[in-house]
Amino acid sequence: QLQLVESGGGLVQPGGSLRLSCAASGFALDYYAIGWFRQAPGKEREGVSWISSADGSTYYADSVKGRFTVSRDNAKNTVYLQMNSLKPEDTAVYYCAAPSALISGSHYFDPRRYDYWGQGTQVTVSS
């Protein structure tokens, strides 16, 4: 059974940092691209970051570009999202997800393209 588990969320002050982890079980993560999404209360789920399976290329939403960094450690079957310079508007539940098929660039942040989802981890940015 394919499973993704996020961890690393918590409460942090504005300007602080957190590192989220997305650990996979039941499959080798290196064969899958991974998308990070977030959902704030009353808002739609939005794409944050994406990392390819092949060459580690990455893609970011404009709202997090320059502040967030996605990376993968295939030996640990884990993908990370390093979040720096956090802002209150980054507050949300963060999810990692994997598609079962290739996704083109225009669909990196379309949640409907993803088949496997973690349970999410809460990130709260507040003073």
Side-chain angles (χ1 to χ4, degrees), residues 15-33:
S17 298
L18 284 174
R19 188 178 79 159
L20 306 184
S21 299
C22 172
S25 63
F27 66 105
L29 196 59
D30 51 346
Y31 291 111
Y32 292 83

Side-chain angles (χ1 to χ4, degrees), residues 21-105:
S21 299
C22 172
S25 63
F27 66 105
L29 196 59
D30 51 346
Y31 291 111
Y32 292 83
I34 293 293
W36 281 98
F37 293 79
R38 66 186 181 187
Q39 189 165 20
K43 294 187 177 181
E44 292 187 354
R45 191 166 298 190
E46 63 172 349
V48 173
S49 183
W50 174 92
I51 185 166
S52 77
S53 60
D55 59 5
S57 57
T58 58
Y59 188 77
Y60 299 93
D62 288 342
S63 58
V64 307
K65 202 172 294 183
R67 300 187 298 122
F68 289 12
T69 303
V70 62
S71 62
R72 63 194 307 152
D73 185 338
N74 290 333
K76 294 184 178 181
N77 225 25
T78 301
V79 170
Y80 303 99
L81 184 67
Q82 178 67 43
M83 307 187 297
N84 299 329
S85 303
L86 283 162
K87 305 175 182 180
E89 52 263 43
D90 294 319
T91 296
V93 178
Y94 283 71
Y95 302 88
C96 63
S100 59
L102 290 175
I103 299 178
S104 62

